[in-house]
Amino acid sequence: MPVQYENQHVTVFQSELYQTTSTVAVTKDIILITDPTWLPGEIEAIRQHVDKHDNGQRKYLLFTHSDFDHILGWKAFPDAVTIASRGFTAKSGREDILQDIHDFDESYYIQRPYPVEYPSIDIIIDHDEQTMEIGNTSVSFYLAPGHQADGVFAVLPGPGILIAGDYASDVEFPFIHHDSRAYERTLNKLEEVMDENTINLFVPGHGTCTADGAEIRKRIRDSRWYIQTLRDEIRHQQSSEVLGAFVDSYSFSRYLGEEHENNKAQIEKERRA
């Protein structure tokens, strides 16, 4: 599996599919694995990397949210302690999520060497700044609804790593599958965490990680502008040429155009509620 970024603290893998990232952070105390995905060979490469750096640390597996591409690697790490939000554990429609995995695998003749199941969670994140301290390693978690209702992002303040889930990507504008106002609050929360911590690496769920603070803040501003401009467009029932050009500026615009239409429907639903 291609490695997008690596230093002494963290390795960011990137799948060929949807430029999806899977992050492995290693300290003397823990190995934190986040969203291992997509293909069996890619997940096996992540597993081998974890084994290579396993010096007896406790292994943890974080799910940033319940989209099927972020959970399908669960059973490849059976000895890891799992972490996710309370919303993740209470998720309805689990059978639909698992069916998405089965449909994907059947479409591409994929056979996984482990069972496909919805993850059971050992450590439940209930509130912002919920912190796990193992030896000299600290990891803080923040609830991140908006893309989905059950999102979480994580900060390792020692090495300054922020694992953001499906927010502030350079290859996707916001995909609002839950609620646009909640999405904006999560963007605000990301900025607050940036203000309160030294972030040396920002890892989105899709696209390119970055160590450039100005780039991170630009992605957050662009996401906020997109949501606010789309909301204005829906409110005034008129298309914005500027917004259309913004959507078209992304690569893979045919697929992203479908997500843009889904966002329109979501904000219209919110307006009528």
Side-chain angles (χ1 to χ4, degrees), residues 49-209:
H49 177 83
V50 170
D51 288 346
K52 178 181 176 181
H53 290 83
D54 184 357
N55 293 309
Q57 307 100 311
R58 192 70 179 271
K59 289 186 282 295
Y60 294 87
L61 177 54
L62 170 65
F63 300 106
T64 60
H65 58 293
S66 60
D67 280 349
F68 84 92
D69 54 320
H70 292 259
I71 70 167
L72 50 74
W74 170 42
K75 283 291 188 174
F77 302 88
D79 57 342
V81 176
T82 53
I83 307 171
S85 72
R86 177 73 63 182
F88 186 103
T89 66
K91 181 77 174 184
S92 61
R94 295 183 182 190
E95 291 305 317
D96 292 336
I97 296 171
L98 295 179
Q99 190 60 52
D100 286 339
I101 299 174
H102 292 307
D103 289 346
F104 173 80
D105 287 353
E106 288 186 12
S107 295
Y108 296 100
Y109 302 173
I110 292 172
Q111 294 180 309
R112 297 185 183 274
Y114 52 82
V116 172
E117 299 176 11
Y118 190 86
S120 60
I121 301 303
D122 301 309
I123 298 176
I124 299 173
I125 306 306
D126 285 309
H127 57 83
D128 290 342
E129 296 185 79
Q130 186 170 329
T131 300
M132 178 177 74
E133 295 185 353
I134 308 295
N136 294 318
T137 300
S138 175
V139 186
S140 296
F141 303 94
Y142 298 79
L143 300 177
H147 169 63
Q148 294 289 3
D150 55 12
V152 165
F153 66 82
V155 176
L156 286 78
I161 301 165
L162 197 166
I163 303 170
D166 282 7
Y167 293 93
S169 169
D170 62 331
V171 296
E172 296 176 346
F173 48 75
F175 291 3
I176 311 166
H177 296 170
H178 168 55
D179 182 86
S180 67
R181 298 291 184 187
Y183 202 117
E184 288 173 310
R185 289 191 292 271
T186 293
L187 294 174
N188 294 340
K189 195 179 299 183
L190 283 169
E191 281 189 323
E192 292 167 5
V193 169
M194 290 279 297
D195 291 339
E196 295 167 0
N197 296 270
T198 299
I199 301 301
N200 298 315
L201 185 69
F202 181 93
V203 186
H206 302 266
T208 309
C209 59

Side-chain angles (χ1 to χ4, degrees), residues 243-269:
L243 186 59
F246 176 78
V247 172
D248 289 342
S249 71
Y250 284 80
S251 300
F252 317 109
S253 58
R254 179 176 179 181
Y255 168 69
L256 293 181
E258 294 175 2
E259 287 292 340
H260 179 56
E261 293 301 317
N262 292 338
N263 288 342
K264 288 182 181 180
Q266 172 62 34
I267 289 182
E268 177 64 25
K269 177 183 175 182

